[in-house]
Structure formats: structure tokens, C-alpha cells
Amino acid sequence: MKENDLYREIYSIKNLILAHKKARKGKTKKSYVKEFEENLAYNLKILHDEIKNQTYKPLPLKTFILRDPKTRKISKSDFRDRVIHHALIRVIEPIFDKSFIYDSCANRKGKGTLFAIKRFELFKRKVTNNLKSEAFCFKADIKHYFQEVNHDVLLNIIRRKIVDSKIIWLIKQISNNSEGGGEPISNFQKGMPLGNLTSQFFANVYLNELDYFIKHKLKAKYYIRYVDDFIILHPSKLQLQLWKQAINSFLRRKLKLELHPQKSRIISLSRGIDFVGFRNFYYHKLLRKRNIKNMIQKIELFQRGKIDFNKLFEIYRGWQAYAKWANSHKLTDKIKKSHKFL
């Protein structure tokens, strides 16, 4: 596809209509969605013209604190900007996704937490000779990942596949957006807002560099990444220690990041590994305590009238489908019996 053809595809009315459908999914009752849809054709035409003429400027982010299960600062874009995010990702995601490794599990079609846990089970059996021998896990977490992503590094990675300067301009408009909506304070802007579709996608683009280093340079066979959490399994603790040093050096040198010193450890598989919501042991897995606590808190919110039954039931159904992968039948039965309305 020629330069500028991709950009035209982003602002095409057809793509904007499909992007709007994606952005509104699960949010049709929200007032901001209804307001946007009162003049849907007009609003999409405005976005079309703004992107085409490069006059588009995102509205300021709205920020709130979410304590579910841990305290996080979430920054949400205005709905019209979310339509643009979907329009952009719809066009550029296929270009990047085919270069992602198989075991990059977050925010990808056909992947997710259950995919990650199945891969962990498979790798655990392989590295331990079908659970007959000892093995170790390097369980890693990148320190303040979303706050530390360097925009210059990200754009250089993107430019390897996207040569259209107008698409780069649009990405800059999105990535430089802030709570105040102002221009970036320097050319070395860093950080991505938690809560944006584009942040989730760019997280994979950025850390695909790490994936390739671990898989192809270090040649680690049993590696899985879910956003900024990743694990490597190996029979040798010493080998994992050497890889840990090499990975931290690569992160600092190439991506301006570093491993979290407290959350990046080498652990025997027999001790149980916290990964994607489960504590994974040799012969069984348990739900994390905070995962259980989170579900109970949702029930309490319903009992206090903070959320309606339909919302609670939707959350519970999703949680139940997730919990069944753990050895937690007694627990789920106990919760159901003690809250009979479920």
C-alpha cells in the first residue's frame, strides 16, 4: 500500500463507522455515548475532516483513581477521541501483530489470560520433564512501565514499519495528550495513560523489542509476556540469573526501562508462581486472594445499591468462568451459597 493510502484508510467514513461501533461496545447506556450518537453522522464527518486536514486535537484526559484491586491512576479519553483510537488501531494493528511473538498474550485476538495460563502449564511440564524434576521461574515486572515509556524510542520503533508522516503525526497527537490537553513540555516526553486502547497496543509494540531479545538473542524457550509481567522457565537457576542481568541491561540501554527490584525474582516452581491472577504450583493452581476479595467487594457494592444486578451478574459470570481454571470449586460454591441471588 502506498504512502498516504494508509492514512486515508484511517479517516475513511467506513472505518470511522466501524471504529464507532467498537468504541461504543458495552457502553451504549452511557450518557456520553448517547450524546455523541444524537448527531452521529455529523460527529463522524467532523472527525473525518479533522483527521484529513490534520487539525485534529484530542480533548484533555479525565483522570480518576481506581482501587480495584490495587490503586491505579486511570486516564480516560473523551469518547470522540476513543473513536479515533479505534480507527487508528484498526488500520495499523495488522501490520504490527504479525511480527509479535506467539507468547505475547495481552490485548491480542485469540490470546488473553487463559491463553497465558495454558502456555504456562505446557511450559511447566516441558521444563520439569513432566513434573519429574526441579525447575525455576524468573518472574519479572517492569518498574513503572506505563509512566516510563519513552516517546522517542516508541516512535523510532513505529517508524520501522510506518513511513507515512501523517500517521506519525496522528500518533504524536494521541501520545502527547495530557490531563491539561497542552503541548508536551519537552521532546523527551514519556509515559502513556492507563485506560487508553492505544496505550495497550503501543505497550505491545514497545515490548516486542524485549520479546525478540529474549527469544532470539538469549534463546529462552519458555518465555511468556502479559503486558509488563513476564516469566521465563528453565531448569538452571544460574542461567536465569545470567539472563536477568542481560535483560535489565537491555531494558536500560535500548528501552529506557528497568526491572522492578522487588517484583523481579527467581523462584523454584515448587513454591508457586503468581501469574495472570493465579498462584501456580506443580500439581494445582489457586486464585490470588485479591482476586477473591475483588469479587466479594463487587457483591458488597451491589448490596449497598452501588451497582445493579445485571452488572453484578455479568461480573460474576466472567469471574466464575475465570475461577474454574483454579482448584477452587469449594470456594465458588461457598460464595454462591452465601449469596443466593447469584
Side-chain angles (χ1 to χ4, degrees):
M1 192 175 286
K2 294 179 182 178
E3 186 172 350
N4 291 331
D5 284 355
L6 269 182
Y7 192 70
R8 290 191 196 100
E9 194 177 333
I10 290 168
Y11 65 73
S12 72
I13 292 296
K14 180 183 176 182
N15 189 47
L16 289 172
I17 289 169
L18 292 170
H20 163 254
K21 286 182 179 177
K22 284 268 190 180
R24 79 192 289 269
K25 191 174 181 181
K27 299 176 178 66
T28 53
K29 294 179 182 178
K30 297 286 186 181
S31 58
Y32 57 78
V33 175
K34 291 178 180 177
E35 185 181 340
F36 187 87
E37 291 177 349
E38 281 177 7
N39 294 293
L40 180 59
Y42 174 77
N43 286 327
L44 291 180
K45 180 64 167 63
I46 291 292
L47 289 177
H48 165 85
D49 291 344
E50 287 181 7
I51 301 299
K52 181 181 179 180
N53 300 323
Q54 291 186 276
T55 58
Y56 168 72
K57 188 170 180 60
L59 292 170
L61 299 170
K62 291 182 180 176
T63 298
F64 58 95
I65 302 300
L66 188 67
R67 294 178 175 86
D68 182 18
K70 59 185 178 181
T71 301
R72 292 174 294 162
K73 181 181 175 182
I74 306 294
S75 298
K76 289 182 73 173
S77 294
D78 190 87
F79 183 71
R80 76 189 299 271
D81 296 320
R82 285 182 243 169
V83 173
I84 296 300
H85 296 176
H86 279 279
L88 171 67
I89 299 305
R90 274 182 48 78
V91 172
I92 69 170
E93 184 177 34
I95 296 168
F96 287 91
D97 190 77
K98 60 188 176 186
S99 70
F100 292 163
I101 67 165
Y102 187 73
D103 290 305
S104 167
C105 302
N107 309 307
R108 296 179 66 198
K109 291 174 186 174
K111 302 294 172 79
T113 52
L114 293 182
F115 174 87
I117 211 67
K118 287 177 186 176
R119 294 294 284 173
F120 182 90
E121 286 292 315
L122 174 66
F123 289 173
K124 181 179 71 176
R125 289 189 172 275
K126 285 188 173 183
V127 78
T128 59
N129 189 24
N130 207 23
L131 309 180
K132 291 173 186 172
S133 57
E134 185 181 27
F136 299 88
C137 176
F138 173 36
K139 169 74 171 65
D141 181 280
I142 295 171
K143 186 179 179 181
H144 302 149
Y145 174 56
F146 279 90
Q147 294 123 279
E148 295 296 328
V149 167
N150 184 290
H151 290 194
D152 286 345
V153 174
L154 175 62
L155 286 170
N156 285 336
I157 294 168
I158 291 169
R159 284 190 183 102
R160 291 185 215 147
K161 293 187 180 293
I162 302 289
V163 294
D164 192 326
S165 60
K166 291 183 178 180
I167 295 179
I168 299 299
W169 169 83
L170 179 57
I171 291 169
K172 283 182 178 179
Q173 294 300 305
I174 293 167
S175 60
N176 287 342
N177 195 20
S178 64
E179 293 169 53
E183 294 297 321
I185 57 174
S186 74
N187 291 326
F188 300 99
Q189 181 85 343
K190 64 180 182 179
M192 297 190 298
L194 271 172
N196 275 359
L197 171 71
T198 47
S199 298
Q200 296 166 13
F201 173 71
F202 292 140
N204 276 341
V205 172
Y206 204 84
L207 288 181
N208 190 46
E209 303 294 300
L210 175 66
D211 297 340
Y212 270 71
F213 175 73
I214 292 174
K215 291 292 290 183
H216 300 292
K217 186 75 175 176
L218 301 183
K219 300 191 183 302
K221 287 175 69 176
Y222 305 123
Y223 166 71
I224 308 167
R225 181 175 61 79
Y226 191 90
V227 193
D228 59 329
D229 289 333
F230 63 90
I231 56 114
I232 307 175
L233 306 185
H234 199 277
S236 167
K237 189 174 184 178
L238 176 60
Q239 179 63 78
L240 290 176
Q241 287 169 341
L242 294 171
W243 282 349
K244 179 181 178 181
Q245 292 172 7
I247 289 165
N248 211 20
S249 175
F250 174 85
L251 286 170
R252 285 173 173 166
R253 189 175 71 255
K254 295 291 188 180
L255 300 179
K256 315 299 182 192
L257 301 170
E258 63 179 307
L259 293 172
H260 196 296
Q262 281 79 47
K263 296 180 181 178
S264 302
R265 296 177 297 150
I266 296 166
I267 312 160
S268 170
L269 280 174
S270 61
R271 285 182 54 191
I273 309 299
D274 271 337
F275 188 53
V276 292
F278 298 98
R279 189 155 176 81
N280 301 272
F281 295 89
Y282 263 51
Y283 299 103
H284 67 287
K285 65 175 73 67
L286 301 173
L287 283 170
R288 280 179 179 166
K289 288 181 180 178
R290 74 182 187 194
N291 190 297
I292 300 161
K293 185 180 177 182
N294 187 35
M295 187 63 242
I296 292 170
Q297 285 175 342
K298 290 291 191 296
I299 293 169
E300 289 171 352
L301 284 175
F302 164 72
Q303 291 171 329
R304 297 203 305 268
K306 299 287 186 181
I307 57 174
D308 63 30
F309 178 75
N310 289 336
K311 181 66 176 174
L312 173 68
F313 193 65
E314 180 188 336
I315 293 168
Y316 179 74
R317 287 275 299 274
W319 181 82
Q320 192 178 37
Y322 187 71
K324 75 177 184 181
W325 289 90
N327 301 86
S328 57
H329 304 298
K330 288 182 180 179
L331 169 70
T332 51
D333 286 346
K334 184 180 177 181
I335 290 174
K336 199 167 184 178
K337 284 175 183 176
S338 59
H339 301 93
K340 294 182 180 178
F341 49 82
L342 293 169

